[in-house]
Amino acid sequence: MKRFMAMLDRNKSKDPPPAKLLDLAAQLCRDLQSSFPSLEKLVGAMMGCRHKMFFLTNIHVVRASVSVHLRQGQHDTACRLLENCKAEEKEELVQLWHEIHYQKVMAKLQVDCLTPLQKFRCRKRNPPPLSLCPEGLKTRSYSDEVRRQLRSFAAEVTANPDKKQREELAKDMNLQPAQIYNWFANYRRRQKS
């Protein structure tokens, strides 16, 4: 830690900072995960310097910074940090985004954990920004063509296909049999209501 602080001080005017400094920061973030006071000091030094955006290109630094902000109850600061970071690991950044919002809801509800439904609602209410998902969130809904074929099968053949029919449909539509099973179960539920 002392070595990092000395290097940071020596290189505060260099643009960009040396790769050695960035690598050391990432290593320290990994090593200090279980030592919160030291991690807090490290993150404070990185986020307080002019090279902040260079540090935020490394997922270990981003993860440590988000962790510190969450522990301090600074949910909005953690969100802004994620919105502006340039780390390449977009899937992990999206997971961190969701975790921030889960923590926010848990603090609001004063609970230790959320149910799957609460997590789902939290994700729907707080979608990640375009900076984390430039292509948009992946949805699990089926294409119009697949839905049309499934509705046609339900109307013309049966809304409750047996295992063999589900396997054939799955093979024809490049889906899993479980997906076909769930689609028809949801279809029958929608028809009742």
Side-chain angles (χ1 to χ4, degrees), residues 9-66:
D9 195 45
R10 274 194 315 270
N11 294 291
K12 62 183 167 189
S13 61
K14 291 186 180 174
D15 255 350
K20 205 176 193 180
L21 179 66
L22 301 176
D23 293 341
L24 183 57
Q27 181 65 44
L28 282 170
C29 286
R30 282 194 302 267
D31 295 346
L32 296 175
Q33 281 294 49
S34 59
S35 173
F36 185 73
S38 299
L39 187 64
E40 188 176 28
K41 184 178 177 186
L42 175 66
V43 167
M46 288 186 294
M47 297 302 109
C49 79
R50 63 186 286 239
H51 298 305
K52 173 182 175 177
M53 294 315 295
F54 291 102
F55 288 115
L56 291 176
T57 60
N58 184 286
I59 191 66
H60 301 293
V61 173
V62 172
R63 197 181 305 123
S65 300
V66 166

Side-chain angles (χ1 to χ4, degrees), residues 139-155 169 173 175 180 183-184 187 190:
T139 62
R140 287 184 254 161
S141 60
Y142 306 118
S143 68
D144 291 338
E145 176 64 21
V146 167
R147 284 198 307 274
R148 187 186 59 70
Q149 288 176 348
L150 290 170
R151 279 194 296 268
S152 172
F153 186 89
L169 283 169
M173 295 179 197
L175 297 172
I180 300 294
W183 188 92
F184 277 101
Y187 176 82
R190 284 191 299 267

Side-chain angles (χ1 to χ4, degrees), residues 43-158:
V43 167
M46 288 186 294
M47 297 302 109
C49 79
R50 63 186 286 239
H51 298 305
K52 173 182 175 177
M53 294 315 295
F54 291 102
F55 288 115
L56 291 176
T57 60
N58 184 286
I59 191 66
H60 301 293
V61 173
V62 172
R63 197 181 305 123
S65 300
V66 166
S67 170
V68 166
H69 289 306
L70 283 179
R71 219 127 154 219
Q72 294 171 342
Q74 300 172 338
H75 300 100
D76 294 335
T77 305
C79 287
R80 281 194 304 278
L81 186 142
L82 280 181
E83 287 173 352
N84 297 315
C85 79
K86 302 293 182 207
E88 296 294 319
E89 296 83 354
K90 298 297 184 188
E91 284 183 30
E92 188 167 346
L93 295 175
V94 170
Q95 288 175 340
L96 283 170
W97 176 267
H98 292 315
E99 189 57 41
I100 291 168
H101 288 90
Y102 296 159
Q103 295 284 331
K104 199 173 181 178
V105 171
M106 287 189 305
K108 182 180 175 185
L109 298 175
Q110 297 178 343
V111 295
D112 293 332
C113 63
L114 298 177
T115 66
L117 180 60
Q118 289 171 319
K119 286 182 176 183
F120 172 78
R121 288 179 176 156
C122 184
R123 288 191 304 271
K124 286 295 181 188
R125 289 184 186 124
N126 304 288
L130 286 175
S131 61
L132 298 182
C133 296
E135 68 283 346
L137 282 177
K138 291 184 174 122
T139 62
R140 287 184 254 161
S141 60
Y142 306 118
S143 68
D144 291 338
E145 176 64 21
V146 167
R147 284 198 307 274
R148 187 186 59 70
Q149 288 176 348
L150 290 170
R151 279 194 296 268
S152 172
F153 186 89
E156 296 170 10
V157 182
T158 180

